[in-house]
Amino acid sequence: MKLTRRQKFMQTAFLTVSRFSRGMTMGVRALVVDDSQKVLLVRHTYVNGWYFPGGAIDPGEHAFAAVERELSEEAGIGLTGPPRLLSVFQNAHASVRDHVVLFHCPDWTQKRAPDVPNREIAELGFFAQDDLPADISPGTTRRLEEWRSQIDVLPVW
């Protein structure tokens, strides 16, 4: 169905007002596990703790593309199969309007050596699930336990 000029104007106006009055931010995180069942974690330069790799979804970008881009940028990893959606969480620690889309990325390859440290990533590594860094973020710990133990997912990061 083709929109009239007035409908297009009203739609644009509504979306613009909504963006400022009800703006929402959304990011992605990737659960990547190697052949020895070690999990990939990164430590950013701008926040304390270890996290799953990930970041913001850019305007006009879909979540699958964002997780693929973030893995490439942060860890030099390329996906060889589609990421699998695990859940969407509200990240109230950042903002009541922030959400995180968590993907399990079982099919991947190391396409290049990661350029670490850099401006964004201080360190990265694969960690045994029974020997995680002491300062892993609480949200990352919960998500890993939910995935590993197949327990109910809490809706808040």
Side-chain angles (χ1 to χ4, degrees), residues 35-49:
D35 291 338
S36 61
Q37 296 305 299
K38 291 182 178 179
V39 62
L40 175 63
L41 299 174
V42 298
R43 191 171 62 79
H44 294 93
T45 58
Y46 51 85
V47 66
N48 293 328

Side-chain angles (χ1 to χ4, degrees), residues 5 24 37-38 43 51 55 59 63 74 78 83 85 102 124 146:
R5 287 183 85 168
M24 184 178 79
Q37 296 305 299
K38 291 182 178 179
R43 191 171 62 79
Y51 299 83
E74 293 185 0
L85 176 66
L102 178 62
L124 65 80
E146 290 164 353

